[in-house]
């Protein structure tokens, strides 16, 4: 577990991160979100001590990592920096191998690790290992940045707006790939973004900071959307937070209409598996212009959801939150 305790950063009389306390469990993604200048990069850099906190402590498991050797510490923390920051005159393989080479791994081990990581992030090693950064697309550079951060298998991964400068389609793919990867690797991840949709999709919990690096709320995506702790959070997550909440609200199978004579689900267009969200259901309804969507378990319909029922479910989930 990574834990920040009353961490602050001051430059002269200006406090840019204020008394920040939160923790991130093993296998958990903390999405850190704030407006520009809100202290996100400063917070990440304090975690790996590229910037020293003015006060407060940071613990990894039970160790106070604000003491001890920062160079040693950084080997345990993969860092994907804002704007990727690949070394332009090094190949993809050399970039990915940065930390293993620093650690003095032998050449065969480094090469094996590089290929393994490129495969992990979906880049064919044979095709990509010898390329230079300017021979890659933005999304590919981003993936090399992630591979480089993972090279020495650090327990902590710090990612600073890694998908910030990428078009929406590539970004969607990278987000899906990141979720798959995290499912396998189970790192402690602090993921900086200024995009609430990205935070909702990727974060197990979301830390919302306002100017001055002041923590306004640290909670699950559903609660940040459904129960914003302050007017700042409500404003930040947007007037369409009810809609956004669709994507984090699972369909309540117990509350579905019975499937009736929807026997042969293979002939139905509009269907979602058990465990899908209200957003998935709505997407199916719109895509197929259907009067209902079947919720299926294997090849069996367990119930159907109509637009009215979908609306009622969303309202109920908001009311449960005391909205
Ligand atoms: N060396 C420094 N001296 C003084 N102020 C600084 C210094 N470095 C950063 N700041 C200020 O600290 C604040 C937080 O900066 P930070 O880079 O953490 O913001 P951010 O949330 O990452 O913003 P962005 O979304 O634009 O990347 C900013 O107002 C910035 O001007
Ligand atoms: Mg930043």
């Amino acid at each position: 577990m990574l834990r920040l305790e009353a961490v602050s950063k001051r430059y002269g009389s200006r406090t840019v991160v204020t008394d920040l306390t939160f923790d991130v469990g093993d296998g958990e993604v903390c999405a850190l979100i704030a407006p520009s200048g809100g202290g996100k990069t400063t917070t990440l850099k304090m975690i790996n001590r590229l910037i020293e906190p003015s006060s407060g402590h940071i613990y990894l498991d039970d160790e106070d990592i604000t003491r001890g050797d920062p160079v040693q510490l950084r080997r345990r923390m993969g860092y994907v920096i804002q704007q990727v920051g690949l070394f332009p005159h090094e190949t993809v393989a050399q970039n990915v191998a940065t930390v293993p080479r620093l650690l003095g791994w032998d050449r065969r081990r480094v090469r094996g690790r590089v290929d393994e990581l490129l495969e992990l992030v979906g880049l064919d090693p044979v095709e990509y290992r010898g390329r230079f950064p300017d021979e890659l697309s933005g999304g590919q550079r981003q993936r090399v940045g992630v591979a480089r951060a993972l090279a020495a298998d650090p327990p902590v991964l710090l990612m600073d707006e890694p998908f910030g400068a990428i078009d929406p389609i590539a970004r969607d793919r990278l987000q899906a790939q990141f979720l798959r990867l995290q499912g396998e690797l189970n790192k402690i991840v602090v993921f900086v973004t200024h995009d609430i949709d990205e935070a909702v999709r990727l974060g197990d919990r979301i830390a919302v900071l306002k100017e001055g690096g002041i923590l306004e709320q640290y909670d699950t995506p559903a609660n940040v959307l459904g129960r914003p702790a302050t007017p700042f959070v409500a404003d930040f997550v947007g007037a369409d937070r009810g809609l956004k909440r669709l994507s984090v609200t699972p369909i309540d199978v117990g509350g579905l209409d019975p499937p009736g004579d929807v026997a042969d689900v293979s002939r139905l267009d509009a269907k979602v598996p058990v465990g899908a969200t209200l957003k998935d259901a709505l997407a199916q309804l719109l895509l197929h212009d259907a009067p209902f969507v079947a919720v299926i378990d294997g090849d069996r319909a367990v119930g159907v959801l109509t637009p009215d029922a979908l609306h009622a479910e969303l309202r109920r989930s908001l009311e449960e939150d005391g909205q």
Side-chain angles (χ1 to χ4, degrees), residues 9-23:
K9 182 66 191 178
R10 287 176 287 275
Y11 289 110
S13 62
R14 227 175 127 228
T15 305
V16 300
V17 174
T18 307
D19 218 8
L20 195 55
T21 297
F22 67 85
D23 56 53

Side-chain angles (χ1 to χ4, degrees), residues 35-42 44 79 82 160-161 192 194:
S36 184
K40 303 182 293 296
T41 298
T42 305
L44 278 198
Y79 184 31
Q82 204 168 359
D160 197 349
E161 305 208 32
V192 164
H194 58 246

Side-chain angles (χ1 to χ4, degrees), residues 54-113:
S54 306
S55 58
H57 292 274
I58 303 175
Y59 300 91
L60 182 54
D61 297 324
D62 287 326
E63 181 190 344
D64 184 348
I65 56 174
T66 37
R67 296 158 200 278
D69 177 9
V71 176
Q72 290 285 350
L73 174 70
R74 266 170 237 143
R75 290 178 184 160
R76 291 152 65 194
M77 300 197 166
Y79 184 31
V80 184
I81 60 184
Q82 204 168 359
Q83 312 297 350
V84 195
L86 297 180
F87 305 118
H89 304 298
E90 293 194 353
T91 63
V92 164
Q94 288 166 332
N95 267 285
V96 174
T98 306
V99 175
R101 280 186 297 167
L102 281 174
L103 293 175
W105 293 13
D106 70 57
R107 280 176 56 186
R108 268 195 41 204
R109 186 172 170 210
V110 170
R111 191 183 165 103
R113 182 65 179 153

